[in-house]
Amino acid sequence: MISIEALETMFNDIRRDAPWNIDGAMLWGYFFKDDSEAKLQELVLALETQGYRFVDVFTNAGDANQTASTFFLHVEKTEIHSVQSLHARNQQLSAFAKQHHIGSYDGMDVGPVVTTVHAGSVVPNAAGAAIVT
């Protein structure tokens, strides 16, 4: 679990170094990790019904430091967080992973909300994200 102290440091670093307002609406990416791609795919609908947007399922298969493939599910949601509310969100997502027998909730990243037009629809995406795991 990501400590509240680590989150405080992250928020302070972003306030100091990033050209965007961490205290406003941001695009938060959340990651889950498991050895089974199918188990992660099964989470997508449950997360979408909670307002998360599916981004990708990817693997670390090309990582020379790994002996077996691990899969990651990436979802995102535009939210306003404080250190305390993000800590609560991390606890919630960690419990969600355990409830669904997923290896782990692996952390989050954050970036400004940037909208792009894609095939006639506006899609939020993160740019310059800071990653905490």
Side-chain angles (χ1 to χ4, degrees):
M1 176 62 67
I2 302 163
S3 72
I4 200 156
E5 293 81 13
L7 295 177
E8 287 171 346
T9 299
M10 181 189 81
F11 270 71
N12 289 335
D13 289 350
I14 291 172
R15 284 185 188 109
R16 184 188 67 234
D17 299 332
W20 21 272
N21 179 11
I22 190 67
D23 300 306
M26 301 296 297
L27 188 62
W28 292 91
Y30 302 101
F31 299 86
F32 298 86
K33 179 170 72 172
D34 198 272
D35 293 336
S36 169
E37 180 179 10
K39 283 173 58 179
L40 292 173
Q41 289 286 357
E42 291 173 6
L43 290 183
V44 173
L45 182 59
L47 289 164
E48 286 178 335
T49 62
Q50 296 179 37
Y52 295 91
R53 186 176 76 81
F54 171 74
V55 177
D56 195 13
V57 172
F58 58 94
T59 183
N60 66 349
D63 187 341
N65 296 324
Q66 300 292 327
T67 57
S69 291
T70 300
F71 294 91
F72 297 87
L73 167 62
H74 178 196
V75 296
E76 60 189 16
K77 190 175 190 180
T78 299
E79 300 181 294
I80 297 173
H81 277 299
S82 65
V83 169
Q84 293 77 18
S85 70
L86 183 58
H87 185 63
R89 172 71 75 232
N90 285 335
Q91 290 176 323
Q92 174 193 21
L93 293 174
S94 182
F96 179 85
K98 286 180 184 176
Q99 175 187 1
H100 289 86
H101 308 287
I102 297 300
S104 67
Y105 165 63
D106 198 48
M108 73 282 166
D109 67 12
V110 63
V113 176
V114 178
T115 56
T116 57
V117 176
H118 180 70
S121 62
V122 176
V123 179
N125 58 53
I131 299 173
V132 175
T133 58

